[in-house]
Amino acid sequence: MTRLCVSLIGSTCRRMIEEMQAAAAAGADMVELRLDCLEDWDPAGIDALLEAAGRFPGEVVATCRRAAEGGHCDEEETLRVSRLEYVGLSDAVDYIDFEYESLKASPNIRQKIALVCGPGLNPAGRPKRRLILSRHELNATPPWYTLRFTLDAMGREGAAAVKLACRAESIVDALHMMDALHYSVPARPTIALAMGEPGLITRVLARKLGAFLSFASLEEGRESAPGQVGIDRMRRLYRWDAIGPDTRVYGVIGCPVAHSMSPAIMNAAFAAAGIDAVYLPLLVEPGFEALAAFLTGVLRRPWLHPRGFSVTIPHKQDLLRFVDRRDGVVEPLARRIGAANTLLIEPGEHLDGADAKLHAVNTDYRGALEALCEGLACRPEDLRDTPVAVLGAGGVSRAIVAGLRDWGCRVTIYNRTRDKAEALAAEFGAQARPIEDCVRHDARVVINGTSIGMWPEVDASPMPPEGLAGRPLVFDTVYNPMETRLLRDARERGCRTVDGVAMFVRQAAAQFELWTRRPAPTDIMRAVVVEHLSGRGLPS
């Protein structure tokens, strides 16, 4: 079973003991004593730390990471090794993590490490500690053949486990690290992690791929390596304990993507439905080539069990191009909109994933229409000839206008840039008006497709209050805050309102149902969004 190890980086032994106790309470399987983070080497403090480590319910790793490989120790090597020898004599420590380059550099150091690590007894007559042999590439991820060569070379040293951590310049580097892990695990216990935000996928899926361990921080902002995830988020948000070899992989592709609420919503939905799946934020840099490289890489690794992705800014248009290149199926309305936010992957028979079938869909318009119909208590077909005022002519408005016109609504677009509104109106058979005219509209439904009123500009509104009186429904696609100034003004004038959370949840529910062929637990999904927006949820 893959262990979840919390790195303890306290600057004093007392602080590190407190961190160890917190890690035990948080459910850590292992802790790593980062001795290089200690400001002073106090033998009495170290003895107290080791005594506390003896009471930790899981296993304990001791490390004194050298600065050249991302640690804080810049002292002479003999002194650094002597500290590891000291803690290695304690039965409280199960593993010593030591760098492969340092081991190779000096026969004397190799001999000292062998005295405390490996088979047999140590000088105190007790069983030796087990060795984790590690290498850290701080500048970039080497080519695949170098990763394989390094793991093989470390494996020949007879260590209990080998560890490779490399900085990822892109998410494709993370795929290469998972290749290394996938290749190495059958032969030896292996840790292979990509550092940085693109590497999150390697940390969460380490359990799926059978890694020896994956690292987590005790709390957000206290990471011992770039891209490390807090243990609470690892266990609750990404459902670490439920991940296994057959877990299906989903995620949201975007740039930026770290603060997306989609992982919290989808993972909660998978848990409620009892589905063996995990949903991750996937940082893919802008540009078609970056998206194509990631998706092609994922499809070539069917052992990851990729089944679908949400796609957000800036990749919605590029997704259509990619699916077309792969002879996939594009939803007709998504093609008319010119953007898709959902990819469904139907796996094929080939080991290289070449025959996987792809489907590109746009659930943004579907989410908006379902939220609108719920607010009006009607069916989509009842919307025919309904006059609708759409504020804005950007991507959100484009999807909504396409959906409304598809159901026969009479749409008028109001936008600050008249030419943009006219172009969108001409494309979908709508009308266009200057934004100044919005107060004189005659629509039964008003929909805000702009970002006006979004946090932190919460006092702004895209329409003056006098344009809202007597309108049956006002719908704001902004969901943070849930009650915008526009919705507050509308409610005060007797209008029914639909908030952006409704659309957000509906489009996510449509993705869930497309991927799983099951009804989405929309009540749970909305509760998660509300919890996050109120500041009570996990960071996502």
Side-chain angles (χ1 to χ4, degrees):
M1 181 189 73
T2 303
R3 298 130 166 113
L4 189 56
C5 180
V6 169
S7 296
L8 309 182
I9 59 173
S11 59
T12 67
C13 291
R14 180 184 295 276
R15 176 60 180 148
M16 202 171 282
I17 291 170
E18 293 171 351
E19 290 178 340
M20 191 185 313
Q21 293 165 345
D29 303 307
M30 300 179 77
V31 289
E32 178 189 43
L33 308 180
R34 284 293 301 268
L35 303 175
D36 53 297
C37 293
L38 295 174
E39 293 178 350
D40 296 304
W41 184 266
D42 171 26
I46 295 296
D47 289 344
L49 176 62
L50 294 173
E51 182 180 351
R55 297 191 296 270
F56 181 74
E59 295 180 303
V60 176
V61 183
T63 309
C64 192
R65 180 75 60 234
R66 65 179 187 144
E69 295 203 26
H72 301 277
C73 184
D74 54 6
E75 296 173 326
E76 196 272 331
E77 281 286 78
T78 302
L79 178 60
R80 186 171 75 97
V81 172
S82 70
R83 292 178 174 176
L84 288 174
E85 287 182 287
Y86 186 88
V87 299
L89 293 176
S90 170
D91 291 336
V93 173
D94 299 284
Y95 295 90
I96 297 292
D97 182 326
F98 195 71
E99 298 86 355
Y100 176 55
E101 292 302 312
S102 295
L103 193 76
K104 290 195 304 177
S106 165
N108 181 51
I109 288 177
R110 180 187 290 271
Q111 184 180 36
K112 287 179 177 295
I113 292 296
L115 288 174
V116 292
C117 296
L121 303 178
N122 64 26
R126 295 192 293 270
K128 295 181 181 179
R129 307 305 100 203
R130 286 163 283 178
L131 176 64
I132 298 174
L133 201 55
S134 61
R135 182 184 176 98
H136 305 80
E137 297 282 354
L138 305 182
N139 296 320
T141 299
W144 154 245
Y145 57 84
T146 301
L147 297 176
R148 180 169 178 170
F149 174 83
T150 300
L151 286 171
D152 282 344
M154 289 196 294
R156 288 193 290 270
E157 294 289 343
V162 295
K163 172 188 172 187
L164 193 56
C166 305
R167 186 177 73 84
E169 295 181 305
S170 75
I171 199 165
V172 173
D173 286 339
L175 294 179
H176 291 158
M177 291 302 296
M178 288 192 291
D179 283 340
L181 180 61
H182 181 66
Y183 156 79
S184 186
V185 160
R188 63 189 69 87
T190 303
I191 306 158
L193 299 169
M195 295 183 285
E197 186 181 345
L200 181 142
I201 190 172
T202 67
R203 297 182 181 278
V204 178
L205 296 187
R207 183 177 173 104
K208 173 180 173 62
L209 300 180
F212 179 69
L213 63 80
S214 185
F215 289 96
S217 61
L218 185 58
E219 56 191 35
E220 307 296 330
R222 295 275 296 164
E223 297 82 10
S224 65
Q228 210 169 76
V229 180
I231 185 171
D232 196 37
R233 187 151 58 112
M234 199 79 146
R235 297 192 68 215
R236 290 178 56 202
L237 178 60
Y238 300 126
R239 303 171 59 226
W240 168 268
D241 299 313
I243 294 174
D246 298 322
T247 297
R248 284 165 280 175
V249 175
Y250 300 87
V252 54
I253 295 170
C255 184
V257 76
H259 297 293
S260 170
M261 284 193 294
S262 295
I265 296 166
M266 289 298 188
N267 284 318
F270 288 143
I275 294 173
D276 186 8
V278 64
Y279 185 104
L280 303 170
L282 305 167
L283 178 66
V284 177
E285 297 298 325
F288 175 76
E289 296 304 326
L291 178 69
F294 172 67
L295 290 178
T296 299
V298 166
L299 293 171
R300 287 176 177 170
R301 296 164 173 84
W303 38 268
L304 285 175
H305 301 105
R307 293 296 181 266
F309 299 103
S310 309
V311 179
T312 188
I313 296 172
H315 295 298
K316 292 184 178 184
Q317 290 78 28
D318 289 335
L319 177 60
L320 293 185
R321 182 179 168 192
F322 180 80
V323 172
D324 278 338
R325 281 196 176 185
R326 297 278 302 206
D327 295 322
V329 178
V330 176
E331 177 190 38
L333 194 53
R335 190 175 296 284
R336 284 195 66 200
I337 294 169
N341 72 328
T342 309
L343 177 65
L344 168 67
I345 301 172
E346 294 182 331
E349 301 290 334
H350 294 180
L351 293 178
D352 64 356
D355 59 340
K357 192 69 174 178
L358 306 183
H359 300 259
V361 174
N362 190 308
T363 67
D364 286 332
Y365 81 85
R366 193 178 310 175
L369 284 176
E370 288 182 3
L372 177 60
C373 288
E374 184 178 24
L376 290 172
C378 71
R379 300 168 300 174
E381 51 266 31
D382 298 330
L383 293 173
R384 181 166 297 279
D385 293 327
T386 299
V388 181
V390 175
L391 310 180
V396 173
S397 295
R398 181 180 179 84
I400 291 173
V401 168
L404 292 172
R405 290 296 298 135
D406 196 52
W407 284 102
C409 294
R410 291 190 286 114
V411 178
T412 303
I413 303 165
Y414 297 87
N415 192 59
R416 183 173 290 112
T417 305
R418 178 72 179 270
D419 291 348
K420 191 172 182 180
E422 289 178 343
L424 180 59
E427 190 172 352
F428 291 102
Q431 295 184 357
R433 294 285 186 273
I435 191 67
E436 297 80 18
D437 291 352
C438 71
V439 72
R440 295 185 291 275
H441 71 90
D442 61 355
R444 295 183 65 240
V445 175
V446 176
I447 301 178
N448 176 34
T450 77
S451 61
I452 297 174
M454 182 182 293
W455 189 90
E457 306 296 331
V458 295
D459 290 326
S461 176
M463 178 176 280
E466 53 266 31
L468 303 172
R471 307 304 168 191
L473 186 80
V474 176
F475 175 11
D476 199 339
T477 63
V478 170
Y479 60 80
N480 186 12
M482 287 181 286
E483 183 176 70
T484 60
R485 174 69 179 271
L486 176 67
L487 295 184
R488 193 161 58 249
D489 289 344
R491 198 169 289 123
E492 289 173 355
R493 282 153 184 80
C495 307
R496 279 182 285 175
T497 60
V498 175
D499 59 38
V501 172
M503 174 181 168
F504 185 67
V505 169
R506 291 289 183 176
Q507 65 83 26
Q511 293 179 329
F512 179 93
E513 291 170 358
L514 177 71
W515 292 330
T516 68
R517 304 290 194 270
R518 297 192 196 181
T522 52
D523 289 347
I524 289 173
M525 297 170 84
R526 182 178 176 89
V528 170
V529 177
V530 171
E531 184 179 35
H532 275 64
L533 291 177
S534 65
R536 299 191 303 271
L538 285 167
S540 57

